[in-house]
Amino acid sequence: VQLVESGGGLVQAGGSLRLSCAASGRAFSTYDMGWFRQAPGKEREFVAAIFWSGGTTALADSVKGRFTISRDNAKNTIYLQMNTLKPEDTAVYYCAAGVGAYTTGRYFPGDYDYWGQGTQVTVSS
């Protein structure tokens, strides 16, 4: 599975962005998917996850009420809608794929097998 993120950029605080992650390869619909982010000098952290069927999602406490994760299996794509962005949301955002990753409930980077190259999100104050 190859993953390519897009949609990052520079936005003012309070603004919105929608990230996309396009997957190539077979059996995309069998993969649980996730979004992680990494700010300079910090560890990669969980942002959002979605079950392979799209019926169940999870969000980090820091983004609940502001971010939404979704997927379109027909298009082999997942999305991260980010609203009311804050300067602390500034990071490189990565999408990830892993069979069974959502079921663990841990949302650890190590539970995911495939990663995109990342897209930069910068929120100015």
Side-chain angles (χ1 to χ4, degrees), residues 3-9 17-22 35 77-80 82 93 95 117-121:
L3 305 173
V4 179
E5 302 97 335
S6 61
L17 284 174
R18 188 174 85 152
L19 305 183
S20 300
C21 173
W35 286 99
T77 302
I78 67 167
Y79 306 95
L80 185 69
M82 306 185 296
Y93 283 70
C95 72
Q117 82 290 348
T119 185
Q120 177 71 47
V121 171

Side-chain angles (χ1 to χ4, degrees), residues 3 5 12 18 21 23 35 41 48 50 55 62-64 70 72 74-75 80 83 85 92-93 95-96 110 122:
L3 305 173
E5 302 97 335
Q12 288 188 332
R18 188 174 85 152
C21 173
W35 286 99
I50 188 164
S62 60
V63 305
K64 282 181 180 177
S70 61
D72 185 339
K75 295 182 178 180
L80 185 69
N83 299 327
L85 283 160
V92 177
Y93 283 70
C95 72
T122 303

Side-chain angles (χ1 to χ4, degrees), residues 5-122:
E5 302 97 335
S6 61
L10 173 64
V11 64
Q12 288 188 332
S16 298
L17 284 174
R18 188 174 85 152
L19 305 183
S20 300
C21 173
S24 61
R26 295 182 294 178
F28 168 77
S29 62
T30 66
Y31 285 89
D32 298 334
M33 301 294 294
W35 286 99
F36 290 78
R37 65 188 182 187
Q38 188 165 17
K42 294 187 177 182
E43 293 186 352
R44 191 166 297 190
E45 66 172 0
F46 167 73
V47 176
I50 188 164
F51 195 52
W52 64 267
S53 66
T56 308
T57 63
L59 294 167
D61 288 343
S62 60
V63 305
K64 282 181 180 177
R66 301 188 298 122
F67 291 12
T68 303
I69 185 173
S70 61
R71 69 188 294 163
D72 185 339
N73 285 345
K75 295 182 178 180
N76 282 12
T77 302
I78 67 167
Y79 306 95
L80 185 69
Q81 177 66 43
M82 306 185 296
N83 299 327
T84 318
L85 283 160
K86 304 176 181 180
E88 50 264 43
D89 294 318
T90 295
V92 177
Y93 283 70
Y94 298 90
C95 72
V99 174
Y102 188 98
T103 306
T104 68
R106 300 179 304 184
Y107 315 122
F108 287 174
D111 291 334
Y112 293 80
D113 303 308
Y114 302 97
W115 292 83
Q117 82 290 348
T119 185
Q120 177 71 47
V121 171
T122 303

